[in-house]
Amino acid sequence: MPGNSILGVFAKSPIKPIEEHINTVHQASERLLPFFAAVYNNDWDLAEKLHKEISEIEKEADVLKRDIRLQLPSGIFMPVERTDLLELITQQDKIANKAKDISGRVYGRRLEIPAQIQVDFKLYVQRCIDAVEQSRKAINEFDELLETSFSGREIDIVEKMISELDAIEDDTDSMQIELRKSLQTFEKDLNPIDVMFIYDIINWVGGLADEAERVGARLELMLAR
Amino acid sequence: MDLLQTYGFMLIVFAAVVGFFMAWGIGANDVANAMGTSVGSKALTIKQAIIIAMIFEFAGAYLAGGEVTSTIRKGIIDTAPFVPLPEYLVLGMISALMAAGTWLAVASYLGWPVSTTHSIVGAIIGFAVVAIGVEAVSWGKVGGIVGSWIVTPALSGILAYFIFVSAQKLIFDTDEPLKNAKRYVPVYMGLAGFILSLVTIKKGLKHVVKSGDLSISNTEAYIYAALVAVVIALIGKFFISRVKIDPAADKEMHYNNVEKIFAILMVVTACCMAFAHGSNDVANAIGPLAAVVNVIQNDGEIAKKAELAWWILPLGGLGIVAGLALFGHRVMATIGKGITHLTPSRGFAAELAAASTVVIASGAGLPISTTQTLVGAVLGVGLARGIAALNLGVVRNIVVSWVVTLPVGAGLAIIFFLMLKAILL
């Protein structure tokens, strides 16, 4: 920054980094698809490799998160509330953590998904990742939001995206209920401890969609000022 | 008195050299403020910005710099007490130039943003108080000038706010932003051209074309300015029609092409900013010089109504251009790093508002600080939720440096004045 100039007034924009962060988070959750494919095939070497990848991407997301926090000291004036932005980034980061937890637990216990629910489970994971993808889309509207100074038409577009996100999350809830039901019909044939863990994993995968929905909710709160 | 007769020519040369040095410093340092937003938003390359700045800073200094120069020369101090002591006025103005020049050099070296206007006004007040006493300063005038330092950033902030909001309403928040951009951007260009040419015609030209043979009535001035506005708008329209609209660019972000059109508008506002800066800030360097020249050429008589010597305005303009040519590059190279999301549509609103405010204030003869109007304008756009992030800490530092500059300028001027007095008298 040239000292004798007013350009120091312009702080580094947090918008690009926020978009970058959600993209990274989305990458981490997307890796769950090949990960579970490996799990169905009992290919534990590949599963390990993918779990390591997810951990790596989660670390990247953490670095991005920290950078954003550091470049937003108080005294930065933005069109949106600083606290909102910081909470949004925290919420986004939870998605990556969730993805890492899921792959870590499944790989750590060599947990097999029973053949009877594999088809439904596959669709369920896909739908939950759709929710993350939708939240990514909404967050990537940030620079357009800035272009229209957070008002008018662009807000409507983002609102539509967020309600779409809510709809996807609803889907995942009903899928989750179905999955539990089917699992219950044959759970007594399986190792009880494994069953407990499968219930957990079903829960956690649903958690991806929940966290994604909360990202949308945070964004909505930010725009509702 | 004999000092002026014996050494008159040498004193003029010395004052001219110091004044030129000061103008040179303005060119080297302030160019970053005047052109920074254009370069930062990538509407102009550094080279283009330097070329525009050279042409329009000089034009502004030469065509519209006279009015503020008069204020600096005779508005800040009451010349009546100096009538028996013209050499005090001459030495004082020279020390004011030296003080402001020194302070600017030090501040640039330390990397502090200071205002040339503040330092010169402070310096003139300083020497007047020491040379004659408190009564030598037209405190009413000074109060008005200091008041304008608060009012003008506010004014330019409000202007920037409304310009920005109007662009939002007319262009960005519509069904067809691109079509509306093509329609309304020339209007903004015309507006910029109108304000500039109006003030130049009404206030500036009389200092260039010596009085008497230039009588333009108000109506005529408005007509001429409107003509210039229409011409500029048409030229702008022509260039806009040649913008390559890239449908693919809108996949990334559907305002990309709209911003391309604003980038052309930014070229116009950058010209305005350079013109405004030249017209306003050249006076800081050559106002005191003009005073010195007047007193010496009138054999120590302090005339109430004195013409600007013909060579003074171009000298200041050349000084600014020289500073730009030699150091502009280096200062500009540091711009644009770390500024993200400063798009032409934001930069234009800030620049147009700041330039208009400066030009209007120059027309009124107020020496205001270009940097201040620009900071005000940027904050105005920020308040309209147009800028991703503003660093209020830096704003605070800038304000503090402005406040400090007044007493420092005054103190330095006092020291130089006492030194010159001891040596020469």
Side-chain angles (χ1 to χ4, degrees):
Chain A
M1 171 205 141
N4 195 357
S5 110
I6 63 142
L7 292 167
V9 172
F10 296 103
K12 204 166 170 323
S13 158
I15 287 175
K16 270 275 171 287
I18 286 244
E19 289 180 356
E20 224 172 293
H21 181 259
I22 193 88
N23 294 345
T24 312
V25 165
H26 174 249
Q27 269 177 18
S29 61
E30 233 183 351
R31 283 282 196 294
L32 285 173
L33 290 170
F35 173 81
F36 276 114
V39 172
Y40 306 143
N41 297 334
N42 274 333
D43 183 348
W44 292 107
D45 292 342
L46 181 59
E48 179 186 22
K49 193 175 138 263
L50 285 160
H51 165 62
K52 285 224 167 78
E53 271 179 31
I54 292 174
S55 291
E56 280 308 311
I57 300 173
E58 191 271 337
K59 281 198 190 85
E60 268 172 51
D62 273 349
V63 172
L64 285 170
K65 174 182 73 178
R66 203 161 303 124
D67 285 349
I68 295 170
R69 286 178 179 168
L70 288 176
Q71 58 160 275
L72 286 182
S74 54
I76 294 279
F77 177 79
M78 291 182 293
V80 292
E81 286 288 329
R82 171 173 167 267
T83 44
D84 281 352
L85 213 53
L86 291 171
E87 273 164 355
L88 177 70
I89 198 83
T90 308
Q91 187 54 50
Q92 288 182 179
D93 206 60
K94 283 181 184 160
I95 298 176
N97 295 343
K98 205 100 202 169
K100 189 178 106 176
D101 288 348
I102 294 166
S103 66
R105 177 62 55 87
V106 174
Y107 167 71
R109 286 193 54 89
R110 299 280 200 279
L111 191 65
E112 288 173 25
I113 307 293
Q116 299 92 319
I117 57 164
Q118 266 189 19
V119 175
D120 283 346
F121 186 80
K122 207 177 196 164
L123 289 171
Y124 174 61
V125 174
Q126 180 60 58
R127 200 61 183 147
C128 289
I129 290 168
D130 285 350
V132 178
E133 163 66 14
Q134 184 65 20
S135 71
R136 186 184 77 89
K137 271 196 196 133
I139 295 292
N140 273 287
E141 287 295 304
F142 236 120
D143 34 23
E144 275 86 353
L145 280 167
L146 179 69
E147 282 285 342
T148 55
S149 60
F150 297 87
S151 62
R153 270 149 234 257
E154 186 58 37
I155 292 253
D156 299 341
I157 294 174
V158 175
E159 284 291 349
K160 274 202 198 76
M161 288 183 171
I162 293 172
S163 43
E164 169 72 6
L165 172 58
D166 291 352
I168 297 174
E169 200 274 335
D170 269 353
D171 275 1
T172 62
D173 280 348
S174 40
M175 287 165 113
Q176 186 174 13
I177 293 164
E178 288 306 311
L179 267 177
R180 286 171 187 282
K181 269 193 192 147
S182 2
L183 184 55
Q184 205 183 355
T185 54
F186 59 89
E187 62 184 16
K188 53 194 174 302
D189 314 334
L190 301 169
N191 171 349
I193 295 186
D194 277 350
V195 171
M196 288 310 298
F197 276 110
I198 293 168
Y199 275 117
D200 255 359
I201 293 297
I202 290 174
N203 236 344
W204 289 2
V205 172
L208 284 174
D210 292 344
E211 303 290 13
E213 187 189 28
R214 275 185 213 129
V215 167
R218 283 260 159 244
L219 183 60
E220 205 164 20
L221 279 178
M222 197 186 272
L223 302 180
R225 289 179 192 281
Chain B
M1 198 55 95
D2 43 344
L3 171 91
L4 296 186
Q5 270 136 17
T6 327
Y7 298 109
F9 181 70
M10 277 175 64
L11 284 172
I12 288 185
V13 170
F14 184 63
V17 168
V18 182
F20 186 84
F21 169 70
M22 178 103 176
W24 183 85
I26 293 171
N29 285 310
D30 277 12
V31 65
N33 297 339
M35 308 301 288
T37 29
S38 324
V39 177
S41 62
K42 311 239 177 347
L44 291 174
T45 63
I46 294 178
K47 212 186 205 134
Q48 288 167 330
I50 299 263
I51 291 166
I52 285 182
M54 279 182 167
I55 297 168
F56 283 87
E57 293 261 357
F58 185 81
Y62 186 65
L63 295 175
E67 198 73 19
V68 187
T69 305
S70 309
T71 307
I72 295 261
R73 194 178 58 196
K74 53 183 197 279
I76 298 169
I77 44 176
D78 181 6
T79 44
F82 282 101
V83 171
L85 297 161
E87 60 270 34
Y88 274 29
L89 184 64
V90 171
L91 293 186
M93 282 297 184
I94 291 178
S95 19
L97 276 177
M98 286 164 74
T102 310
W103 175 234
L104 285 182
V106 170
S108 318
Y109 180 74
L110 295 171
W112 295 340
V114 295
S115 156
T116 40
T117 315
H118 290 61
S119 49
I120 200 79
V121 169
I124 290 175
I125 295 172
F127 91 77
V129 168
V130 171
I132 304 286
V134 183
E135 68 276 12
V137 181
S138 323
W139 291 108
K141 268 268 173 65
V142 172
I145 291 170
V146 173
S148 74
W149 288 341
I150 298 155
V151 173
T152 46
L155 175 69
S156 103
I158 293 164
L159 264 180
Y161 182 94
F162 283 112
I163 292 173
F164 181 73
V165 169
S166 75
Q168 287 288 329
K169 287 267 175 293
L170 293 174
I171 296 168
F172 284 92
D173 190 18
T174 57
D175 285 332
E176 293 177 308
L178 194 58
K179 203 176 120 205
N180 285 323
K182 285 177 177 167
R183 183 185 310 162
Y184 290 113
V185 164
V187 176
Y188 289 117
M189 291 177 178
L191 185 73
F194 180 76
I195 292 170
L196 275 195
S197 44
L198 185 67
V199 173
T200 305
I201 293 165
K202 282 178 71 98
K203 290 288 186 181
L205 288 178
K206 69 172 188 219
H207 294 276
V208 179
V209 184
K210 286 294 166 252
S211 57
D213 53 0
L214 185 86
S215 53
I216 298 178
S217 71
N218 267 353
T219 339
E220 277 176 349
Y222 279 108
I223 291 170
Y224 288 140
L227 280 177
V228 173
V230 170
V231 169
I232 289 179
L234 287 175
I235 294 172
K237 218 174 168 64
F238 166 73
F239 276 107
I240 287 170
S241 68
R242 289 185 41 200
V243 172
K244 287 192 176 56
I245 300 298
D246 173 14
D250 282 351
K251 284 200 180 66
E252 251 327 288
M253 159 146 160
H254 50 253
Y255 290 110
N256 267 349
N257 289 322
V258 179
E259 289 293 357
K260 277 185 186 164
I261 290 172
F262 271 100
I264 295 183
L265 171 57
M266 194 96 194
V267 176
V268 176
T269 53
C271 297
C272 288
M273 197 68 221
F275 188 94
H277 180 245
S279 72
N280 184 66
D281 286 36
V282 71
N284 300 328
I286 62 169
L289 168 63
V292 170
V293 171
N294 264 334
V295 174
I296 291 174
Q297 285 185 337
N298 294 331
D299 295 330
E301 214 172 299
I302 297 171
K304 270 273 166 256
K305 285 293 268 182
E307 291 295 336
L308 271 180
W310 63 269
W311 52 271
I312 290 185
L313 277 173
L315 177 89
L318 280 176
I320 291 182
V321 170
L324 266 172
L326 288 171
F327 279 91
H329 244 279
R330 237 184 42 189
V331 179
M332 291 281 219
T334 47
I335 296 174
K337 287 174 195 157
I339 298 185
T340 41
H341 274 281
L342 179 65
T343 52
S345 63
R346 279 102 243 274
F348 113 86
E351 268 189 1
L352 184 56
S356 310
T357 312
V358 170
V359 165
I360 291 163
S362 302
L366 282 172
I368 61 164
S369 161
T370 318
T371 332
Q372 269 185 344
T373 50
L374 209 49
V375 170
V378 167
L379 290 179
V381 177
L383 282 174
R385 309 183 89 186
I387 295 177
L390 288 175
N391 199 337
L392 293 183
V394 174
V395 176
R396 196 196 54 224
N397 289 346
I398 291 176
V399 172
V400 167
S401 77
W402 286 332
V403 175
V404 169
T405 293
L406 276 178
V408 170
L412 282 173
I414 290 169
I415 294 168
F416 280 120
F417 178 74
L418 294 177
M419 265 167 42
L420 287 177
K421 206 171 109 179
I423 295 165
L424 295 171
L425 295 179

